[in-house]
Amino acid sequence: MQRFLAGSALLQNEPLVEEILNTVVKAVPIPVTLKTRLGWNDEHKNISTIAKIAEQAGIAALAIHGRTRTQMYNGEAQYDLIAEIKQSVNLPIWANGDITSPQKAVQVLQQTGADGIMIGRGAQGQPWLFADIQYFLQHHELPEKMRFQAACDVILAHLAAMHDFYGDVGGVRIARKHIGWYLARVPHSADFRKQFNQIDNPNAQLDKLSAFLQTYSSEYEFWWRDY
Ligand SMILES: Cc1cc2nc3c(=O)[nH]c(=O)nc-3n(C[C@H](O)[C@H](O)[C@H](O)COP(=O)(O)O)c2cc1C
């Protein structure tokens, strides 16, 4: 990314950001949203300038990851600056970074005043996180954990959908990381994950995973969660 001055490396060139945003917003008939980080590094947190540029360009919503480019994924996301941006521009703001639970989602929404949140890694292996957050926002308590069988149904449907969407070769490969994320919370699953990663056929992936999951079904009523 840095070699091409694309993605968050673009934060170093504000006039170019302005030119790109103005051009794209004018060129397409649909709302254009922007996602970026707080800045290039700790000395150059230029998100407030970028937010003003975005507002003037007619960007429809701005998602902000609470880290700088050089931070990569180290340390914890910072939300203070996102709160400041929310106050300083008239633009829907979505807060992003390290939101992995309903409790954290509420904390970030309160701390930033953001209009919404964006979630990446937190949803890996638990796509029901979004529904859990919605429930927590409405009821101020966590929902019941996913029932074991309901979670299995989601996981197997997700696996079949990956085969359909990416094709047999790509789907089998991409499924390995997703199934790895699901099984990361399942006790004593490391050996099976290694075996699963050797399978190169979609039906065999489905059959082996289904059989593996069923070995837990008499013992566990609920799927595992860490919030
Ligand atoms: C596998 C992966 C791919 C990503 N791809 C992009 C991308 O194409 N564009 C982007 O702006 N951010 C991308 N991100 C960054 C995320 O959108 C997000 O800002 C970052 O992971 C922090 O949020 P999180 O803590 O909820 O994961 C990616 C992150 C991951 C883990």
Side-chain angles (χ1 to χ4, degrees), residues 46-200:
N46 59 344
I47 184 61
S48 50
T49 307
I50 299 291
K52 293 232 157 56
I53 292 171
E55 185 183 25
Q56 275 157 23
I59 287 291
L62 172 63
I64 307 170
H65 176 190
R67 285 189 177 84
T68 61
R69 175 69 184 79
T70 50
Q71 266 183 293
M72 314 279 278
Y73 282 98
N74 299 321
E76 282 183 23
Q78 305 293 316
Y79 308 109
D80 300 6
L81 209 43
I82 302 179
E84 279 179 38
I85 301 301
K86 173 60 196 163
Q87 293 301 316
S88 68
V89 289
N90 186 18
L91 192 61
I93 299 293
W94 299 330
N96 167 241
D98 296 350
I99 301 171
T100 52
S101 69
Q103 298 92 322
K104 184 79 182 273
V106 167
Q107 180 216 309
V108 172
L109 282 168
Q110 285 173 348
Q111 189 181 340
T112 59
D115 304 278
I117 50 176
M118 180 180 273
I119 294 177
R121 293 165 301 163
Q124 290 169 345
Q126 49 178 12
W128 40 82
L129 173 62
F130 301 98
D132 284 359
I133 291 173
Q134 193 166 20
Y135 186 97
F136 193 68
L137 285 168
Q138 280 168 355
H139 301 277
H140 310 289
E141 62 179 13
L142 288 173
E144 192 177 61
K145 285 183 193 170
M146 278 292 277
R147 297 218 161 244
F148 183 85
Q149 203 53 53
C152 293
D153 292 348
V154 170
I155 294 166
L156 292 167
H158 186 182
L159 180 55
M162 285 187 277
H163 298 150
D164 284 348
F165 188 80
Y166 295 108
D168 286 0
V169 176
V172 161
R173 285 199 195 132
I174 289 169
R176 290 176 188 153
K177 70 179 176 186
H178 286 277
I179 299 307
W181 287 324
Y182 283 114
L183 296 183
R185 291 182 176 82
V186 175
H188 315 298
S189 63
D191 283 347
F192 175 76
R193 280 155 67 186
K194 280 190 205 133
Q195 287 169 34
F196 186 83
N197 289 344
Q198 305 298 318
I199 304 171
D200 56 10

